[in-house]
Amino acid sequence: MYYYLTRALFFGILRRMLKPKDFFNDSALASVLFEGSEHVWDGLKNIESYISGHLKANVSEIKRAGTVVAETTVLDNGATVHEGAYIIGERVEVGAESVIEPGACIKEPAIIGPRSQVRHGAYIRGNVLIGPDCVLGHASELKNSALLGGSKAGHFA
């Protein structure tokens, strides 16, 4: 009996504590993703629709030769996509002054915010939103995820 009361109390407290407003400031991205969300995990349901409505794909020019980027390219917005990066699909946006290192793999749809870094060996598996000034470290993997501005997911994250 004590176990069940303790468990019920713990999960009751946990549910009250895990509100989006308790974790995120008033950033524009967080307010859109978590609008109407009761719990922090509810924002994950909004990633795909956010990407669909905001994606401005800009990688088709460097993909002429196929999935693997053939030569290091600086996009019009100052972003650098290094030779040997993999971009699978057309619906990928690389933000201004961002860097995609060799060996990184990005599957559509994905938005990579300005001044962010996707390090070598990182794997973006689709429905990923990376905010401004973020780092996705070496050998890290994301799927159906959002890194809000300034987030750092170190190597092997």
Side-chain angles (χ1 to χ4, degrees):
M1 175 86 167
Y2 176 75
Y3 167 78
Y4 293 108
L5 288 173
T6 304
R7 184 180 162 118
L9 179 63
F10 173 75
F11 284 109
I13 291 170
L14 191 62
R15 285 187 181 272
R16 284 194 304 273
M17 288 175 38
L18 298 177
K19 305 288 184 207
K21 65 179 176 56
D22 298 328
F23 288 86
F24 306 109
N25 59 20
D26 292 330
S27 76
L29 179 57
S31 64
V32 170
L33 283 179
F34 296 99
E35 181 179 6
S37 297
E38 184 177 350
H39 302 101
V40 291
W41 52 83
D42 293 335
L44 295 175
K45 299 172 191 169
N46 300 327
I47 291 173
E48 189 172 3
S49 63
Y50 180 89
I51 290 173
S52 294
H54 292 84
L55 181 83
K56 295 176 183 74
N58 62 351
V59 296
S60 57
E61 185 65 27
I62 61 175
K63 288 185 45 81
R64 286 183 305 214
T67 301
V68 181
V69 176
E71 62 182 50
T72 299
T73 306
V74 177
L75 302 176
D76 291 340
N77 62 5
T80 303
V81 181
H82 286 276
E83 174 184 351
Y86 294 80
I87 299 178
I88 301 170
E90 298 291 326
R91 297 181 312 138
V92 174
E93 177 182 346
V94 180
E97 301 175 25
S98 291
V99 176
I100 311 299
E101 292 186 356
C105 180
I106 303 169
K107 287 185 178 179
E108 69 176 357
I111 297 175
I112 299 164
R115 300 171 307 282
S116 291
Q117 299 174 31
V118 178
R119 303 255 169 95
H120 68 283
Y123 187 19
I124 296 175
R125 294 181 52 199
N127 284 328
V128 171
L129 176 60
I130 297 177
D133 304 304
C134 292
V135 175
L136 181 60
H138 162 72
S140 296
E141 182 175 340
L142 292 177
K143 178 182 180 184
N144 197 44
S145 301
L147 288 180
L148 299 180
S151 297
K152 312 285 188 252
H155 60 281
F156 301 110

